[in-house]
Amino acid sequence: MTGQVVLAIDAGQSGTRARLVRGTTVRTASAGGVGLVVDADTLHRTAKVFTGLCGTLLRDVDDAAVDTVVVGTTGLSRHRDQNAELAAILLARTSARRVVLAHDGLTAHLGALGGRPGVVAAVGTGVVVFARTSTGRWLPPLDGHGSALGDRGGGYHLGLVGLREAARQHDLGELAAPLLDAGRRRFGPVVAWSGAIVEDGTARIAAFARDVLRLAAGGDPTAIQISALAAGELARTVCAAVCALRSAGDEPMETVDVSWSGSVLTDPSYRTLVTARIKELCTDVTVRAPEGSGLDGAIILSTIAELAPAPGLVEVYGP
């Protein structure tokens, strides 16, 4: 086999996926979830997962030149020195011409809209909304503030409000309430909930969003109210991004394409709520189903020859 190779990695909280593209040849691999750099130990654990996936995909194509390794991941802006160290490891292990580290919301945007301008909400445990202008310029992302300050309308938000309401139902003697029953099945007795969510609390609380949305779809009034309020919060953030895009001063857009990525908006009832609220709050928007994933977006990012670094969004490294 001859030709250049692109390696794309999409590192999420629930797992890490990788794809090799060489002409018409496409290979995939995956690994358990891993977070990007938090400290030195995490950095090397992350690098081991990434290089292991690269090694698996490069097996039997050692004669090929690796053109670009693209990693879409969270936490990019916090540890610039560690980002550079991770990039150096990937450069050394793959002999790539360049390594591109990008915020996974950016690669999700590129995948969802196929590289076109517009607004994309990445909605998983947390929420971050990216907007790209008609000239290809990235605006500062909205939300992404973490569970304490933001992530409105995401999995953690839905799960936390659901658990708080369930605990309130317990205190008020509404012991047969479906939401309370769902909480007990997932976390045990209510008196143990505080302790149960301490260990890996963010992921466990976000998982409860599935129960909230299931009950809302089934007609439970409390769950319906929770999901409706969360959908409204998310829609407001999306529409703020649409407004920012319209005032950015680039070439005007008659209509703004809006799409999404992430697990939470795979729920059809919640997605319908969010879409309806967006159309109520925004004018001249077209809400589109995502065309592709963050991995697809990483491949698109690799095709941009003169990629300009952007603090907190994209970092480019070469040998």
Side-chain angles (χ1 to χ4, degrees):
M1 296 178 69
T2 60
Q4 292 184 327
V5 169
V6 172
L7 288 166
I9 298 173
D10 181 38
Q13 294 190 37
S14 61
T16 302
R17 302 174 302 149
R19 180 187 299 167
L20 174 150
V21 176
R22 182 187 186 195
T24 60
T25 300
V26 178
R27 297 182 180 182
T28 59
S30 61
V34 60
L36 188 61
V37 289
V38 176
D39 53 36
D41 291 337
T42 303
L43 164 66
H44 290 287
R45 190 161 57 246
T46 300
K48 184 176 180 180
V49 172
F50 289 174
T51 57
L53 288 171
C54 291
T56 298
L57 293 175
L58 285 170
R59 196 170 296 143
D60 302 325
V61 291
D62 292 337
D63 59 323
V66 180
D67 179 61
T68 304
V69 178
V70 180
V71 178
T73 185
T74 57
L76 180 63
S77 63
R78 301 177 191 174
H79 305 282
R80 301 289 297 275
D81 293 343
Q82 293 176 350
N83 290 340
E85 186 175 351
L86 175 61
I89 294 170
L90 289 170
L91 285 166
R93 298 288 177 85
T94 63
S95 300
R97 182 178 65 83
R98 64 174 180 167
V99 166
V100 179
L101 302 181
H103 192 296
D104 63 346
L106 186 148
T107 51
H109 187 295
L110 292 173
L113 290 180
R116 299 189 306 278
V119 172
V120 172
V123 189
T125 297
V127 172
V128 62
V129 180
F130 272 80
R132 192 181 191 210
T133 72
S134 54
T135 61
R137 184 163 59 93
W138 294 98
L139 301 186
L142 300 184
D143 207 333
H145 302 308
S147 58
L149 299 178
D151 291 344
R152 296 172 184 269
Y156 183 88
H157 178 190
L158 283 159
L160 179 63
V161 176
L163 274 176
R164 293 186 68 182
E165 289 301 314
R168 187 62 172 162
Q169 288 172 336
H170 172 271
D171 291 344
L172 296 179
E174 301 170 15
L175 303 183
L179 194 63
L180 174 58
D181 183 58
R184 285 191 296 238
R185 280 188 279 109
R186 189 175 287 275
F187 296 99
V190 176
V191 294
W193 286 6
S194 295
I197 63 177
V198 169
E199 184 176 349
D200 196 23
T202 300
R204 295 195 69 187
I205 292 172
F208 192 59
R210 294 193 290 269
D211 299 282
V212 174
L213 295 177
R214 172 179 56 81
L215 290 171
D220 177 66
T222 304
I224 288 173
Q225 183 180 32
I226 293 168
S227 58
L229 290 172
E233 292 281 11
L234 177 56
R236 288 177 65 192
T237 307
V238 169
C239 289
V242 171
C243 291
L245 197 58
R246 292 196 182 283
S247 352
D250 288 23
E251 297 172 4
M253 301 168 64
E254 289 187 9
T255 183
V256 174
D257 285 344
V258 173
S259 191
W260 67 87
S261 70
S263 59
V264 174
L265 288 177
T266 60
D267 182 279
S269 298
Y270 187 57
R271 186 172 66 249
T272 298
L273 277 175
V274 173
T275 299
R277 288 295 288 144
I278 289 172
K279 291 179 177 179
E280 288 173 9
L281 295 171
C282 300
T283 58
D284 298 324
V285 297
T286 302
V287 181
R288 301 182 181 277
E291 295 180 12
S293 67
L295 269 179
D296 297 308
I299 296 296
I300 292 172
L301 190 61
S302 75
T303 66
I304 302 175
E306 299 299 328
L307 185 60
L313 302 181
V314 177
E315 296 178 11
V316 183
Y317 301 87

